[in-house]
Amino acid sequence: MTVRRDFKEPARCRPDLVIGREELVTAARDQLTRGGSVLLHGPAGIGKSTVLRALAADYGEAARTVLRCSATESESHLPFLALADLFGLVLDEISDKLPAAQRTALESALTGRGESTLQRDGLALRLAVLSALRILAAAGPVLLVADDLQWLDSASAELLGFAARRLGDTPVQLLCAVRTEGQEYDRHLRASPPDTLAVRLNPLSRNQVSALLDHRGYTDLPRSTVREIHRTSGGNPLFALELGRALGENPTPPRPGEPLPVPTSLRALVLSRLDMLSDEARRTLLVASAGARPTLALLHAAGRENAEAETAQAAALGLLATEPEGPAVRFAHPLISAALYAEAPAQERRAAHAALSTAASDPIERARNLAMATTGTDPEVAARLAEAAALARDRGAPSVAASLGLLAARHTPPDGTPGPDEHRLCAAEDAITAGEVDLARDIAREVLTRATVPADRIRAWEVVIEAAGQALGDVDAVFPQALADAGDDPRLLALVHYHLAWRKLIVEGDFSEARQEAAHAAELAARGGDRRTELMALSFQSSTETLMGHPNAPATIKQAMREPQDPYVACHHNGVGAARFRWLMMSDQLPEARSTITALLREVRRRGMVESEVHFQRFLAETELRSGHCGRALDLARESLRLARDSGIGLGASAMLASLAEASGGDVGQALALAREAAGRADEDGDQMYLSRALAALGHAQFVAGDAAGAVGSLRRVRELEQGLGITDPARGRWQGDLAEALVRVGEPGEAQDVIAVTREHALRLNRESVLAVLDRAEALVRAALGDHEGALSRLTFVQDRLAKLGYGLEEARAAFALARLRTGRPGPTSYDEAARLFRRCRALPWLRQVDEAAAQGAGEPSAVTAQTPPSDALAGLAAMERQVAALVMEGATNREIAARLFISVKTVEATLTRVYRKLGIRSRVDIVRLAAGRHAK
């Protein structure tokens, strides 16, 4: 029986109800499943009620009786109202089973007849509530759902607390939500059952706010606006949605530097408290809201003489957070500042900014406030803003520089020098650096509607192309227009051909053509005296040649590293430093690669180059992964993915690397999901280069998950893609060893040997030592599959030592694991301890689990792949793998034992046996055993 009162549930909760709350909801569900109770708490608008409804919808089906109440502030003075909500509809079911005194007290409280009170009927009423719950629980589990406990009338709250503390093992669970600030939920927890789990709902991250807005249909908001929504809302989902709705309904978005429009629905939350301020205190808070980092000293300098007393008054009303130490004046919530500013008349806002334009000590802040205090164009203000933008750029704050550049454009007269479009183009380029690609693209498109100077148009086209990221196919129409605008100017043509080189690589997947375009761009740039573009083109050319295995790669890298260098190119993710890092990685120089990428990452963070930071964080994770530091790699890869999702940059590449890190040191299921996400993004973008990387990550995750057949399918496709792309350097993706080992597991040692032979030829030519060692490990497994057990053991022992010397910890551990599996059941050492030790050192948890499983299965088993093929004419026509499987069946091994001993899956064993049956004209394992018996009879 389920009782509902004024509470309608959807059949399934909408996904936006739990965005950013997945772990908390899972923990709460687990608690309810175990029979415990849950108390949700957090500030207003944080999503308690929505999570409560989601949990009630999911778990309510398991309860026979669901009792509900939802209190309101206006009704909190009415005694027993919540009690009536909970028990009013079940009173007829329970009243006859209550003792007379308890029944009378409860009926009086619920109906209002008899004027029952806790003072007069205290014990009887308390016992009645406890008895009522026990009676209902006797017929089946009871779930009590209560929202907004803070508004529960005091009489009902006391009665429920009395019963909750005495329910014991009675199957009654409480699912409640209460509004709290900070951690003020103790008194509500004390009134709950002893096993209650308190779950605090914290603010959403920027990425989660973005996902929530997208889910609600606010998909056209620029990332800079989403960032401002997150800041203003403080991560509160209700506030964020209201701000998003206001922006969606406002045809004119706020101009750069202006705060978001705060809808009336949110202003009402704070304006009632603002009305309690004195006029002077309100003006002081307005100045604080207009400042970036307000302090008491700043307020004094801005003319607010009584700032201490006025901020103390605001703090007493809960408008400001009290700071016992430190000079900062901090609003209790960003929304208070936004609502105060939005409510103030424009003239008062300008006056506040004017005061701050002279009071602020920072030149950037002075310029920003001067702009906000000025109406119309003013060359002097525009010049101050341009200087401030340059300063912000130097400080590594390109997002601030972009905002200041747009303000400079707004205040520049049409005939000014530099003109408004020059400021806009600088702002667009700063926005690209900051990772705000939507803003950058919009600015560039605006400039293109009126710009006539070829150099300005090419700069704008560059921004449009760079804003497309990996989806260069989406801007195909740009290139002919850009070439036409460039005319015969070698500097401008060099820029266009540099981007055409990227298009050749990403869209067409043609490394040879991309290399030629890059070389042509470098030559044009040199002729035009554009050293920056020349260096970028040479860096691209060298990276392409490295991946191709082209013999000119070392010479091109040296050419790109010649002086004079450009500081921007030196640390750009497509610049000289990144090209050198790739070369070091592929040449097995891991320590130098790590120091190189660490220095680059430090520099781009200093400069605020978000896109480069995303890529370099990923490069560092890859370096740690190659070195066998799987835990560190996993942390870095997850951070890179978080930054990529937050900025919308490099999502596919970061997901690909995160997949590899998860498969090595984290969760294999997550690795599979991330690899498929990366492949989907690359496919959607038409990016053949990263599609092959994503599929390689998918194949690796499938291999680690034990899906050898799936790994073979994915990695065969990688082989086809890279052959089409012209990639010959096996150190680029390092997937060949996985493919060979997976082929062994599915019973295709011949194809595995072919993969090894082709790859080895390229690895020898390019001196790729670690690739050769991994190939030797795979070849050892091929030998074992073909019956050369001693040769396999000898090679694996050598390979393990070789990989250790090269510094590839995870690959070394994999060699030790393969060695232990081959030794299982043979005379001599058979322990998996060495493999476990090495995997534990790497923090390679998925592999460590495999070692534990293999050790458990291998205890007492006969030697792996030591069964000799029976000398029977009937088996002569079988393939090598089929003969080995048949031989092990003859020895009485189960399919699982055969799979463990031959490094293949159980499904592969079953498929191999099916082929054996067909070739031998038999029907079952019994017939194979009979063949063995017939052989012995001879």
Side-chain angles (χ1 to χ4, degrees):
M1 174 182 180
T2 298
V3 178
R4 291 185 170 88
R5 181 184 186 277
D6 297 331
F7 196 92
K8 295 182 180 179
E9 295 282 359
R12 278 281 178 262
C13 63
R14 298 191 313 274
D16 63 314
L17 296 184
V18 292
I19 285 176
R21 313 294 194 197
E22 293 82 0
E23 291 186 11
L24 295 178
V25 170
T26 298
R29 282 179 180 146
D30 291 344
Q31 171 75 354
L32 292 169
T33 301
R34 289 191 296 267
S37 297
V38 173
L39 175 67
L40 305 170
H41 66 99
I46 203 67
K48 303 179 299 299
S49 297
T50 51
V51 173
L52 182 86
R53 286 194 291 270
L55 290 169
D58 283 351
Y59 191 74
E61 299 173 0
R64 176 186 179 272
T65 304
V66 179
L67 306 175
R68 307 177 188 271
C69 70
S70 183
T72 63
E73 184 177 12
S74 62
E75 298 171 341
S76 60
H77 66 286
L78 300 174
F80 305 121
L81 183 62
L83 199 68
D85 279 352
L86 292 168
F87 293 104
L89 298 181
V90 296
L91 184 59
D92 291 342
E93 179 184 352
I94 61 176
S95 60
D96 292 344
K97 301 173 184 177
L98 291 170
Q102 295 180 22
R103 181 172 63 249
T104 301
L106 184 59
E107 288 178 348
S108 176
L110 296 184
T111 62
R113 294 191 297 270
E115 297 183 358
S116 177
T117 67
L118 279 177
Q119 287 71 28
R120 192 183 70 188
D121 302 319
L123 182 58
L125 196 49
R126 290 175 174 86
L127 293 175
V129 172
L130 180 60
S131 299
L133 290 172
R134 286 173 173 166
I135 291 168
L136 292 170
V142 176
L143 178 66
L144 192 154
V145 182
D147 197 5
D148 283 321
L149 282 185
Q150 74 277 4
W151 304 132
L152 221 64
D153 64 274
S154 58
S156 297
E158 204 283 335
L159 291 168
L160 290 176
F162 175 87
R165 292 189 295 271
R166 290 165 175 79
L167 286 170
D169 295 332
T170 306
V172 176
Q173 296 170 263
L174 273 66
L175 173 58
C176 306
V178 61
R179 181 187 300 179
T180 57
E181 298 295 336
Q183 300 293 324
E184 301 168 3
Y185 63 93
D186 289 353
R187 66 184 181 90
H188 298 286
L189 194 58
R190 287 192 295 271
S192 303
D195 62 347
T196 299
L197 173 69
V199 177
R200 177 167 178 80
L201 274 67
N202 290 312
L204 300 180
S205 69
R206 188 193 305 177
N207 191 47
Q208 290 163 348
V209 165
S210 178
L212 180 62
L213 292 167
D214 285 348
H215 188 78
R216 287 296 184 90
Y218 306 121
T219 55
D220 296 329
L221 298 174
R223 291 189 178 276
S224 56
T225 302
V226 173
R227 182 187 63 202
E228 190 62 21
I229 289 175
H230 177 258
R231 188 196 67 79
T232 304
S233 68
N236 186 298
L238 173 64
F239 300 170
L241 287 171
E242 285 297 294
L243 290 167
R245 181 183 60 77
L247 284 166
E249 294 173 355
N250 188 351
T252 306
R255 293 186 295 183
E258 291 183 346
L260 297 177
V262 180
T264 305
S265 58
L266 294 185
R267 293 189 201 183
L269 294 175
V270 296
L271 289 182
S272 58
R273 282 184 284 172
L274 288 172
D275 289 341
M276 300 172 69
L277 288 171
S278 66
D279 290 343
E280 289 302 309
R282 187 163 179 152
R283 291 191 185 95
T284 294
L285 287 196
L286 176 60
V287 174
S289 70
R293 293 176 296 275
T295 63
L296 287 173
L298 178 65
L299 294 176
H300 279 299
R304 308 310 304 166
E305 297 177 356
N306 298 316
E308 285 89 349
E310 289 157 358
T311 54
Q313 182 188 358
L317 292 171
L319 295 168
L320 294 179
T322 55
E323 298 283 354
E325 297 180 2
V329 174
R330 186 168 63 85
F331 285 90
H333 192 281
L335 184 64
I336 297 172
S337 172
L340 172 66
Y341 188 92
E343 190 70 12
Q347 185 176 355
E348 290 187 17
R349 292 202 296 249
R350 286 196 296 272
H353 285 296
L356 290 170
S357 69
T358 57
S361 59
D362 185 84
I364 292 176
E365 271 305 289
R366 288 199 300 270
R368 186 185 71 85
N369 280 291
L370 179 61
M372 301 303 293
T374 305
T375 58
T377 60
D378 186 319
E380 184 179 345
V381 172
R384 291 268 302 275
L385 287 164
E387 291 171 2
L391 181 58
R393 198 176 300 122
D394 290 342
R395 289 181 180 178
S399 179
V400 175
S403 176
L404 292 167
L406 288 175
L407 285 171
R410 189 172 109 199
H411 289 286
T412 300
D415 57 351
T417 304
D421 282 346
E422 171 64 23
H423 293 306
R424 291 188 181 95
L425 286 169
C426 287
E429 290 161 353
D430 286 327
I432 284 287
T433 301
E436 297 180 8
V437 293
D438 296 334
L439 176 61
R441 181 174 49 245
D442 291 344
I443 297 169
R445 292 287 187 188
E446 181 187 355
V447 170
L448 285 165
T449 60
R450 56 177 172 270
T452 57
V453 177
D456 289 346
R457 292 187 63 80
I458 293 298
R459 283 178 69 185
W461 287 128
E462 268 204 291
V463 170
V464 172
I465 293 168
E466 290 188 22
Q470 299 296 110
L472 284 178
D474 293 347
V475 292
D476 264 349
V478 165
F479 293 100
Q481 299 177 67
L483 284 170
D485 285 335
D488 57 2
D489 187 329
R491 291 176 64 93
L492 301 182
L493 284 170
L495 290 167
V496 180
H497 281 282
Y498 170 71
H499 290 292
L500 277 170
W502 277 104
R503 186 195 171 281
K504 289 286 185 184
L505 181 62
I506 292 176
V507 179
E508 298 181 17
D510 192 326
F511 272 69
S512 179
E513 287 289 330
R515 173 183 173 270
Q516 291 178 28
E517 281 284 4
H520 184 42
E523 187 273 328
L524 286 167
R527 196 177 347 140
D530 183 355
R531 183 60 173 164
R532 173 174 290 190
T533 303
E534 181 188 6
L535 288 171
M536 291 294 288
L538 287 171
S539 300
F540 177 82
Q541 181 185 344
S542 66
S543 295
T544 306
E545 289 173 347
T546 298
L547 295 176
M548 294 172 67
H550 197 284
N552 288 358
T556 307
I557 290 177
K558 287 181 181 178
Q559 186 181 357
M561 295 182 68
R562 288 176 187 159
E563 295 295 338
Q565 286 292 315
D566 182 289
Y568 173 81
V569 177
C571 65
H572 192 275
H573 59 279
N574 290 323
V576 178
R580 181 171 179 271
F581 164 77
R582 292 187 186 95
W583 173 258
L584 291 169
M585 282 288 288
M586 296 174 75
S587 302
D588 298 322
Q589 301 179 57
L590 295 180
E592 193 170 353
R594 181 186 292 106
S595 62
T596 297
I597 199 62
T598 301
L600 287 170
L601 183 58
R602 187 184 306 116
E603 179 62 15
V604 298
R605 282 175 173 163
R606 186 188 71 79
R607 289 171 171 263
M609 299 168 68
V610 174
E611 183 172 7
S612 293
E613 181 182 356
V614 171
H615 290 296
F616 289 163
Q617 185 98 349
R618 174 169 55 85
F619 290 170
L620 182 57
E622 184 178 0
T623 309
E624 298 295 351
L625 193 58
R626 295 275 175 248
S627 303
H629 305 150
C630 299
R632 170 71 172 151
L634 184 60
D635 291 342
L636 289 166
R638 285 174 173 171
E639 176 61 21
S640 173
L641 183 60
R642 184 202 64 75
L643 187 59
R645 293 197 193 286
D646 203 30
S647 64
I649 295 171
L651 275 169
S654 293
M656 176 274 297
L657 199 281
S659 170
L660 291 172
E662 291 284 356
S664 298
D667 182 277
V668 180
Q670 183 70 3
L672 290 166
L674 286 168
R676 291 189 174 102
E677 176 189 341
R681 288 186 179 278
D683 198 35
E684 182 180 339
D685 291 342
D687 185 345
Q688 297 297 297
M689 185 173 65
Y690 263 110
L691 179 59
S692 69
R693 295 292 307 272
L695 289 173
L698 177 59
H700 179 71
Q702 290 168 323
F703 182 80
V704 177
D707 180 11
V712 167
S714 297
L715 296 176
R716 277 175 175 165
R717 191 177 173 200
V718 175
R719 180 175 59 187
E720 294 170 3
L721 282 169
E722 293 203 351
Q723 285 173 350
L725 290 166
I727 297 174
T728 61
D729 193 332
R732 186 250 185 178
R734 298 175 183 266
W735 48 266
Q736 296 85 352
D738 282 346
L739 175 56
E741 292 187 31
L743 285 166
V744 170
R745 291 192 183 187
V746 300
E748 298 289 350
E751 184 183 345
Q753 187 61 57
D754 290 341
V755 170
I756 292 167
V758 171
T759 308
R760 180 176 282 132
E761 180 181 350
H762 293 299
L764 285 169
R765 174 174 60 85
L766 298 166
N767 194 30
R768 300 298 189 233
E769 285 293 321
S770 62
V771 173
L772 289 168
V774 169
L775 292 175
D776 284 346
R777 184 185 69 207
E779 190 167 48
L781 299 180
V782 172
R783 289 188 179 188
L786 296 175
D788 182 8
H789 198 84
E790 296 303 327
L793 286 172
S794 175
R795 177 155 292 202
L796 278 174
T797 303
F798 172 71
V799 165
Q800 182 182 343
D801 182 61
R802 189 175 172 193
L803 287 166
K805 289 177 180 177
L806 287 169
Y808 284 76
L810 182 59
E811 301 296 351
E812 176 196 357
R814 287 180 61 178
F817 186 25
L819 194 58
R821 295 183 72 171
L822 281 180
R823 285 174 173 164
T824 300
R826 292 176 61 83
T830 60
S831 174
Y832 284 88
D833 290 349
E834 174 68 0
R837 181 185 71 80
L838 291 173
F839 281 131
R840 196 174 294 112
R841 183 183 68 183
C842 295
R843 279 183 58 192
L845 301 183
W847 288 102
L848 198 56
R849 284 190 286 270
Q850 287 192 39
V851 172
D852 292 340
E853 292 170 4
Q857 292 175 2
E861 286 186 352
S863 172
V865 295
T866 58
Q868 300 298 314
T869 303
S872 169
D873 292 340
L875 302 186
L878 298 180
M881 177 63 73
E882 294 165 352
R883 287 198 302 273
Q884 288 186 77
V885 170
L888 290 169
V889 169
M890 289 177 177
E891 292 184 358
T894 66
N895 287 2
R896 184 174 294 279
E897 291 168 342
I898 295 169
R901 291 157 65 182
L902 295 182
F903 308 100
I904 58 179
S905 67
V906 174
K907 288 185 178 180
T908 301
V909 174
E910 293 168 351
T912 304
L913 282 174
T914 300
R915 294 196 300 272
V916 169
Y917 299 156
R918 185 176 65 251
K919 290 182 178 181
L920 298 182
I922 59 179
R923 296 184 177 182
S924 68
R925 296 169 60 95
V926 175
D927 292 330
I928 296 180
V929 175
R930 285 172 180 162
L931 281 174
R935 181 193 68 188
H936 292 311
K938 293 179 182 180

